[in-house]
Amino acid sequence: MEIDRPYISDWNLLIRDVKVEDSGCYTCKTNTFPVRIKFVELKVLVPSQILNKNEIGKKKEILTKEGETVNITCIVSGIPTPRVKWYRRPLKDTVEGIVNVTSEIKRQGSGERDSCIYTVEKPHIGMEGEILVIHNVSRYCNGIYQCVASNDVPPAAEMDTAVLVEYSCAFGFIERWYALAAL
């Protein structure tokens, strides 16, 4: 820290290499009559970070079975506190930003389920928060789930997690879907 006096009536406090610990209320007080006091609050902003991100080059994958519950966590830090939004990219059927998502719809009045395909341009799955919970996982939940943490201090942070679902098929063996896309 140093005092800068570009003009006779101007006094500036210069703080170099600002750190979070420098946040707080600063007081400027003149040694004049009458005494003048000015308060300035310094808020140090910190970009979003994902604390549980894998090492560079290592994929984050969750292998699960149909019917289980999957929790994907995205532990974040930053000032102000980042917001976390979740996105989903399927393992296949992606064409130039348009995504065909396969989902199951339960038929009314029966326990049967029908598959449906719908198209979305931005695959935001509508969930916010550090933990994404997928209940009763089905084979249609295969995909790459991305958490994006942002707090309006660039850059935003993001992390991809591949969810791979094992399920029994008609031939009596377990089929596995693996992510073909690089994380």
Side-chain angles (χ1 to χ4, degrees):
M1 289 187 197
E2 67 180 74
I3 303 295
D4 179 39
R5 191 169 179 196
Y7 304 101
I8 283 191
S9 61
D10 289 345
W11 294 80
N12 297 318
L13 176 64
L14 297 178
I15 304 173
R16 299 190 196 290
D17 301 320
V18 175
K19 297 174 188 63
V20 174
E21 299 83 37
D22 295 326
S23 295
C25 189
Y26 289 80
T27 306
C28 178
K29 190 175 187 181
T30 63
N31 194 11
T32 60
F33 185 79
V35 173
R36 292 187 197 173
I37 300 175
K38 182 170 185 171
F39 299 98
V40 176
E41 185 171 353
L42 175 64
K43 294 180 182 179
V44 177
L45 305 177
V46 178
S48 302
Q49 282 189 316
I50 297 176
L51 302 177
N52 63 324
K53 196 169 186 173
N54 281 3
E55 295 175 31
I56 295 175
K58 292 190 178 181
K59 295 179 184 176
K60 186 167 186 174
E61 294 180 349
I62 296 175
L63 181 62
T64 187
K65 291 181 171 59
E66 266 191 321
E68 293 183 344
T69 298
V70 172
N71 294 311
I72 308 172
T73 58
C74 186
I75 301 168
V76 299
S77 71
I79 300 174
T81 303
R83 295 170 310 282
V84 178
K85 290 187 179 182
W86 290 92
Y87 298 85
R88 178 178 178 267
R89 295 192 316 266
L91 300 176
K92 57 183 179 176
D93 297 329
T94 303
V95 180
E96 296 179 19
I98 304 293
V99 179
N100 291 324
V101 179
T102 304
S103 183
E104 289 184 343
I105 295 179
K106 188 174 181 181
R107 283 190 201 163
Q108 280 189 326
S110 75
E112 295 180 36
R113 295 180 177 266
D114 287 331
S115 295
C116 68
I117 296 177
Y118 58 95
T119 302
V120 293
E121 290 186 27
K122 288 186 176 182
H124 180 255
I125 59 176
M127 300 300 294
E128 294 188 14
E130 291 185 350
I131 300 173
L132 175 67
V133 180
I134 307 170
H135 297 282
N136 197 21
V137 169
S138 77
R139 65 192 75 184
Y140 303 108
C141 295
N142 280 308
I144 298 176
Y145 292 81
Q146 180 182 62
C147 70
V148 177
S150 64
N151 61 358
D152 298 327
V153 181
E158 53 189 53
M159 179 182 71
D160 290 350
T161 302
V163 173
L164 312 170
V165 181
E166 292 183 334
Y167 60 92
S168 297
C169 65
F171 303 110
F173 58 89
I174 293 180
E175 187 168 331
R176 291 185 179 143
W177 286 87
Y178 289 97
L180 300 176
L183 293 179

